[in-house]
DNA sequence: ACCTTCGGATACATCGGTGTATCCGATACA
DNA sequence: TGTATCGGATACACCGATGTATCCGAAGGT
């Protein structure tokens, strides 16, 4: 049994070890991809023996899951923060800038996240977790969009703010794919900005337009 | 050496075996994901021994690569075909229907393709191959869009037809991600239709609008 | 039909990873 | 500071996958 459910001693050494293992795992997973990584490798990268691993986790899957949860939580907070900066009115380009900063900057995270997606695509239980996480993000976006609705009209094709949020997430996912392949962050940010502008404005120039980057 | 470069006998038994292995590999990869699959498993699924495998391929990677090439080629042809149906004028909704039919119907293919993406994201050489493939598709789309340009104006934010093609591919990738998670093909097609409509029309109703599905 | 070449099967040696049982130094609490 | 518990290290037995060398039946040419 790895997860300390019983309320024994706190043992700060343990939490340190666990954190070290998670950090090392992040690096190793990003570099080689889940599925091409052995427990041994993670331990070696973290500077611990396999005994330490089994004392903290039951399996590679469990560690991978824990790792994803941790980082995803972090990102979600950052995104919420970036969306909450403005007042009641929404400055679309500025918000897009801040959000892409958080979402597209860390290539390692994108790699791990995609690995997790692939994992989830084959395991309904995992998929549900990921879907919930995405739904939370979408709700945050829809709320933000809704609050600024009077200010900038959304194109009718997308339906309500929720539909628009879906579109935003899809755009983000699409750009992520391209970024994973060419590794060009600046370009990706440019594309994302364009896409979001095209999606969130009615095309008649109500809100600011992104300049073309390419 | 596996690849028959020397011009020896043709041996139709060999091509059959190779095809069987590729088919079995497709099923196994789709089910378990590259990285969680052993050579042994593929052989077992195909009904051959490992000797047959090593006689046809050098490694799992090589087989995976060959598999991807084969299927990607197939899909590319189908998409080109679907785009070529119309006359000089482009019927956007109809074309979208036909293309999504090809692109979103086969979940197994999406799974394998995503595995390949993950693979490519960590290997520049592989990434180049995939990028070229995507560029070909994009060009086909841009051509099609360009031919119909007079008919339906593109929104200015996306720039030229090439920019629009980029956007189309991004939308497709974004919807794919969602589809991988919830497995709802009908919904995915609806979203894709909406997204493309939002992206490819100027929002003033020049071309037909997709009805909301959700 | 022959026989040469080919292709897949079988057997074997090896290796790396896994999980577990046990041990000993570290750590928290009195 | 003593001590009971904890946490990570070490050692071991095991398994499954790998790659190769060899063998024999199958296919194709003449």
């Amino acid at each position: 049994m790895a997860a300390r459910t019983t309320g024994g001693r706190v043992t700060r050494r343990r939490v340190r070890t666990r954190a070290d293992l998670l950090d090392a795992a992040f690096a190793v997973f990003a570099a080689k991809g889940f599925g091409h990584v052995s427990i041994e490798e993670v331990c070696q990268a973290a500077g611990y023996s396999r005994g330490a691993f089994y004392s903290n986790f039951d399996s590679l899957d469990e560690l991978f899951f824990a790792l994803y949860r941790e980082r995803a939580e972090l990102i979600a907070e950052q995104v919420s923060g970036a969306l909450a900066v403005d007042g009641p009115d929404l400055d679309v380009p500025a918000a897009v800038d801040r959000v892409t900063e958080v979402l597209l900057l860390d290539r390692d995270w994108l790699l791990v996240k995609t690995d997790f997606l692939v994992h989830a695509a084959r395991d309904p239980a995992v998929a549900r977790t990921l879907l919930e996480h995405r739904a939370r993000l979408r709700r945050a976006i829809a709320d933000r969009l809704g609050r600024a609705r009077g200010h900038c009209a959304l194109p009718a094709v997308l339906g309500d703010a929720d539909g628009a949020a879906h579109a935003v997430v899809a755009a983000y996912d699409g750009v992520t794919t391209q970024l994973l392949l060419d590794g060009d962050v600046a370009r990706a940010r440019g594309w994302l900005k364009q896409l979001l502008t095209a999606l969130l404005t009615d095309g008649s120039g109500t809100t600011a337009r992104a300049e073309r980057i390419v």
Side-chain angles (χ1 to χ4, degrees), chain A:
Chain A
M1 166 189 346
R4 273 287 155 274
T5 50
T6 59
R9 271 190 222 163
V10 190
T11 339
R12 71 189 71 191
R13 176 160 72 132
R14 189 178 188 75
V15 310
R16 174 62 181 272
T17 304
R18 188 183 158 92
D20 286 347
L21 282 171
L22 282 169
D23 284 352
F26 181 72
V28 176
F29 283 150
K32 317 188 69 170
F34 184 69
H36 296 279
V37 167
S38 65
I39 295 177
E40 187 72 37
E41 272 175 300
V42 173
C43 295
Q44 200 168 330
Y48 290 90
S49 72
R50 244 167 46 252
F53 176 90
Y54 283 108
S55 173
N56 281 278
F57 304 94
D58 283 329
S59 64
L60 245 196
D61 270 65
E62 190 193 310
L63 175 137
F64 187 47
F65 204 85
L67 173 62
Y68 178 82
R69 282 188 75 85
E70 193 192 61
R71 302 274 172 161
E73 204 64 36
L74 200 79
I75 299 281
E77 283 172 23
Q78 291 178 321
V79 170
S80 298
L83 282 176
V85 168
D86 287 334
D89 279 344
L90 180 64
D91 180 1
V92 174
V96 166
D97 273 351
R98 287 196 306 272
V99 173
T100 59
E101 185 78 26
V102 172
L103 288 178
L104 294 182
L105 219 75
D106 188 354
R107 184 180 161 81
D108 281 354
W109 169 242
L110 291 183
L111 285 166
V112 171
K113 194 164 76 77
T114 308
D115 269 356
F116 195 74
L117 165 70
V118 163
H119 197 229
R122 293 186 175 87
D123 183 336
V126 179
R128 233 169 295 133
T129 304
L130 222 177
L131 281 169
E132 277 167 28
H133 182 239
R134 286 165 65 91
R136 269 213 306 283
L137 273 187
R138 232 163 39 221
R139 232 170 292 133
I141 296 172
D143 282 357
R144 199 68 194 83
L145 249 37
R147 260 186 293 155
R149 199 144 183 211
H151 185 59
C152 83
L154 295 172
V157 251
L158 291 179
D160 50 12
D162 190 66
H166 250 103
V168 169
V169 172
Y172 163 57
D173 287 332
V175 170
T176 297
T177 302
Q178 180 69 20
L179 174 54
L180 281 176
L181 286 175
D182 65 16
D184 190 336
V185 181
R187 200 181 167 98
R189 294 185 61 172
W191 279 116
L192 186 52
K193 215 190 272 193
Q194 277 185 248
L195 272 178
L196 292 184
T197 309
L199 285 171
L200 295 180
T201 67
D202 59 7
S204 59
T206 308
T207 55
R209 293 192 165 170
E211 65 283 10
R212 277 209 85 208
I213 305 265
V214 193

